[in-house]
Amino acid sequence: LAEIEHRLPPADWLAARLQWCLWPAAALREAFAGTPWRLTLSERSREIRYRDQLIARISPADSHAGTRQPVLLDDRQGHYRLRIIPLKDSP
């Protein structure tokens, strides 16, 4: 168990990355206002930048908390990839 825990990212990292993946773009832009953080969107992905350095790329770009498709976070800063796969609805 200790070996597995050692490889897991810290909880604050996970919380921030889940916000980046699942918050609406407008909410992220509002949260980043007045800071060196910036969100840019393309048709395929959303990018999180800090002082113009790419920190993370999230696809698809239109991910949100109610998404029914997988979301992939490629965290360049933390050297992690996180795939969020929604659970299937139960009958």
Side-chain angles (χ1 to χ4, degrees):
L1 183 60
E3 181 180 328
I4 293 171
E5 288 176 358
H6 179 70
R7 292 183 296 181
L8 294 175
D12 58 341
W13 176 92
L14 181 58
R17 275 42 178 193
L18 288 173
Q19 291 170 347
W20 295 352
C21 291
L22 301 176
W23 279 17
L28 283 174
R29 286 196 170 115
E30 185 177 325
F32 290 161
T35 74
W37 292 91
R38 184 168 45 98
L39 168 68
T40 56
L41 295 173
S42 71
E43 284 186 29
R44 299 180 62 122
S45 66
R46 48 171 76 185
E47 294 181 348
I48 306 295
R49 296 180 179 274
Y50 181 79
R51 299 190 191 281
D52 292 326
Q53 179 184 359
L54 179 63
I55 301 298
R57 180 172 286 125
I58 297 129
S59 55
D62 63 349
S63 61
H64 54 79
T67 190
R68 303 311 289 160
Q69 59 184 332
V71 175
L72 177 63
L73 166 79
D74 182 6
D75 186 318
R76 305 296 175 87
Q77 181 185 44
H79 305 287
Y80 285 97
R81 284 200 178 136
L82 174 69
R83 184 176 304 274
I84 302 168
I85 301 173
L87 297 174
K88 295 185 188 234
D89 291 333
S90 58

